[in-house]
Amino acid sequence: MERNLKNVLVISFGFLLLFTAYGGLQNLQSSLHSEEGLGVASLSALYAALILSSMFLPPILIKKLGCKWTITGSMCCYIAFSLGNFYASWYTLIPTSVILGLGGAPLWSAKCTYLTIASNSYAEKTGKNGKDIINQYFGIFFLIFQSSGIWGNLISSLVFSQASNKVEISEENLACCGAYDCITDTTNTTGSAEPSNSLIYTLLGSYTASGVLAVLLMVMFLDQLKSDQAETEKEILETPTFWSTFLATFQHLKDKRQCLLIPLTMYSGFEQGFLSGDYTKTYVTCALGIHYIGYVMICFSAVNSLSSLLFGKISQFTGRKLLFALATVTNTSCIIALLLWKPHPKQLAVFFVFSALWGLSDAIWQTQTNG
């Protein structure tokens, strides 16, 4: 196998293993750690740290450590988050969430830098167009990586399906599910009841092992960039001063196109946060039980992945405005329906319809905003 392609596959499967764990765990945060909103607070701290990290850390770490070791070290930050969930409290989960957030931006930046350099190296060697090889390598990466949403959620549902303490959900408690969300710590808990500690530890052990395998894969099989490639790597990421980086961020605001992209980017984060934080807790867990979260999110991931491929291809024919309009109508319709709908276990298919429609609209927000 050609060396550059081998490295692309190593990174792809490393990210698959890592995000199988993180993706599944992220979707469970609001349901597993609902006391005083700890789960939601941990995700908020995580993404706040990610924002700060993305502004300053990637060029510094990549220049000092190189892409391989930046990827490896950043993956360890994700493992720390899994470990923090074993004994979840404000003193363990919030710090490990911040650690993950700090490692997130260098991880993705190093991955993109590595794949770009590997693509250009192969293109130069074979006399092919660099952009074509970049598209090919990133296509391979996302094909493998996107399936992590399926495997991570499947693991959580299979583990929690083993619970022996499932109880019937009364009509009185079902009335508290959905948009009205009147389930509290003092309310008779049903579907939102936590599974046993042994099942939680089994799940977290599986996720942690998946993260450790990802790190070992990077250490053992990912090649360090050659000396000439490493020079290119440093040229791409010449470390700017703190203030130049800070000011460069705000200089983009002079361009009205950049300003108009900000609300789109923010909304993309809001809608994903609603699905993984609120829909999973107040609709799925409340009415069906925590073991259904994985199945519902598998539906979202599968539709999202297929729709991303579809809309990425047809956007050249339809234009972005038409696709953005489709996503807006789909999301707005779902929001209105969720406000009116009273979730019930007898309407099982409806839970999957909402996640599928959300996956379709999210695919548009992701592919077109990034494009």
Side-chain angles (χ1 to χ4, degrees), residues 34-299:
S34 58
E35 302 84 359
E36 299 180 1
L38 174 58
V40 174
S42 70
L43 293 177
S44 300
L46 189 161
Y47 285 103
L50 184 61
I51 291 171
L52 294 175
S53 170
S54 63
M55 292 179 68
F56 309 114
L57 284 182
I60 297 172
L61 290 179
I62 295 173
K63 185 175 183 181
K64 297 293 183 184
L65 303 177
C67 288
K68 173 179 177 175
W69 297 111
T70 299
I71 291 173
T72 305
S74 298
M75 284 183 168
C76 293
C77 297
Y78 282 72
I79 297 174
F81 179 68
S82 296
L83 294 174
N85 276 267
F86 273 95
Y87 299 99
S89 71
W90 291 93
Y91 303 104
T92 58
L93 203 53
I94 300 300
T96 52
S97 296
V98 171
I99 290 172
L100 189 157
L102 293 176
L107 176 71
W108 284 95
S109 296
K111 181 272 298 180
C112 289
T113 304
Y114 193 105
L115 292 185
T116 301
I117 293 173
S119 302
N120 289 329
S121 172
Y122 179 73
E124 187 178 339
K125 189 188 304 181
T126 58
K128 295 182 179 179
N129 188 306
K131 289 184 179 179
D132 292 340
I133 304 300
I134 289 174
N135 288 335
Q136 179 185 334
Y137 280 4
F138 274 85
I140 293 171
F141 170 81
F142 279 105
L143 176 67
I144 296 171
F145 164 74
Q146 290 285 19
S147 67
S148 63
I150 297 174
W151 307 120
N153 290 308
L154 181 61
I155 290 171
S156 71
S157 282
L158 290 176
V159 170
F160 287 149
S161 293
Q162 307 303 312
S164 57
N165 60 341
K166 296 173 189 172
V167 292
E168 280 296 319
I169 306 174
S170 68
E171 293 296 328
E172 179 185 359
N173 282 319
L174 282 172
C176 282
C177 298
Y180 298 100
D181 187 23
C182 53
I183 291 287
T184 65
D185 292 336
T186 57
T187 307
N188 179 29
T189 54
T190 51
S192 59
E194 284 192 13
S196 66
N197 283 337
S198 62
L199 286 179
I200 294 175
Y201 292 153
T202 298
L203 179 66
L204 293 175
S206 302
Y207 284 161
T208 304
S210 183
V212 171
L213 284 174
V215 171
L216 292 176
L217 192 64
M218 295 300 108
V219 172
M220 297 174 64
F221 297 107
L222 185 64
D223 295 329
Q224 184 74 282
L225 292 173
K226 293 179 180 178
S227 56
D228 57 333
Q229 293 174 315
E231 288 302 316
T232 307
E233 177 185 32
K234 290 180 180 179
E235 289 171 13
I236 292 174
L237 291 150
E238 283 298 329
T239 308
T241 63
F242 174 91
W243 286 111
S244 64
T245 304
F246 186 78
L247 292 174
T249 303
F250 291 96
Q251 284 173 354
H252 281 285
L253 298 179
K254 293 179 181 178
D255 190 334
K256 72 173 184 179
R257 296 172 302 172
Q258 180 70 60
C259 294
L260 291 171
L261 272 175
I262 291 173
L264 282 176
T265 309
M266 291 178 65
Y267 178 74
S268 174
F270 292 154
E271 54 93 6
Q272 289 184 59
F274 168 78
L275 188 76
S276 60
D278 296 300
Y279 183 69
T280 55
K281 178 176 182 286
T282 59
Y283 288 86
V284 181
T285 299
C286 183
L288 299 178
I290 196 171
H291 57 288
Y292 266 98
I293 288 179
Y295 297 130
V296 170
M297 293 305 290
I298 286 172
C299 178

